[in-house]
Amino acid sequence: GTKQGGAEISLVTDSATGATDGTITAGDDIVIDGDKIKIQDEADEAQGVFFVDSDGKEHRVSRRLTVNKPTQVIARVPADVSGEVKVVVRTKYTGSGSTKLKSPREIEYSVKCNAIKG
């Protein structure tokens, strides 16, 4: 896999319920806390916040990110996401000024999440 380079997702919080146990609400926002998780270019289809279901199908967040900072990203969970999913951030952000990676770094949250209907 791609080297993490200090990038990590340390916590995902469901903004609708305040849950930090991996429960996320489809159609609502989640707060992703971590390090070096800023999406370098939201228009780049290879970068962004993704929800990967148990079949390996990826659901990319298409809505503009509410917050997009090196240590925090707030993203809307797509309404069609349900069941067990992995939360993945893909970015070319390095944290060192104008330098960016040639290919996106994949940062996966270590806790399996469960998407429920809001």
Side-chain angles (χ1 to χ4, degrees):
T2 311
K3 274 195 224 159
Q4 297 300 306
E8 68 162 351
I9 297 172
S10 54
L11 186 66
V12 171
T13 306
D14 184 308
S15 66
T17 65
T20 57
D21 63 356
T23 304
I24 57 177
T25 305
D28 227 310
D29 287 351
I30 58 169
V31 180
I32 304 169
D33 290 301
D35 194 33
K36 297 182 183 175
I37 58 174
K38 178 180 177 169
I39 308 305
Q40 186 80 31
D41 179 4
E42 288 187 55
D44 180 355
E45 292 286 319
Q47 296 183 68
V49 177
F50 298 82
F51 299 88
V52 184
D53 65 25
S54 55
D55 296 332
K57 182 174 193 275
E58 295 188 347
H59 305 265
R60 182 178 182 270
V61 172
S62 55
R63 184 178 178 273
R64 187 180 64 78
L65 299 171
T66 308
V67 172
N68 185 17
K69 298 189 296 192
T71 58
Q72 186 178 74
V73 172
I74 297 180
R76 176 74 40 96
V77 180
D80 64 340
V81 171
S82 66
E84 189 176 284
V85 291
K86 291 187 285 191
V87 176
V88 175
V89 171
R90 292 193 189 117
T91 180
K92 294 181 180 177
Y93 179 76
T94 63
S96 54
S98 60
T99 309
K100 68 178 188 179
L101 301 171
K102 287 185 176 72
S103 58
R105 169 193 344 241
E106 182 167 297
I107 308 151
E108 184 179 318
Y109 187 42
S110 61
V111 176
K112 292 274 188 255
C113 292
N114 186 38
I116 58 170
K117 297 294 177 198

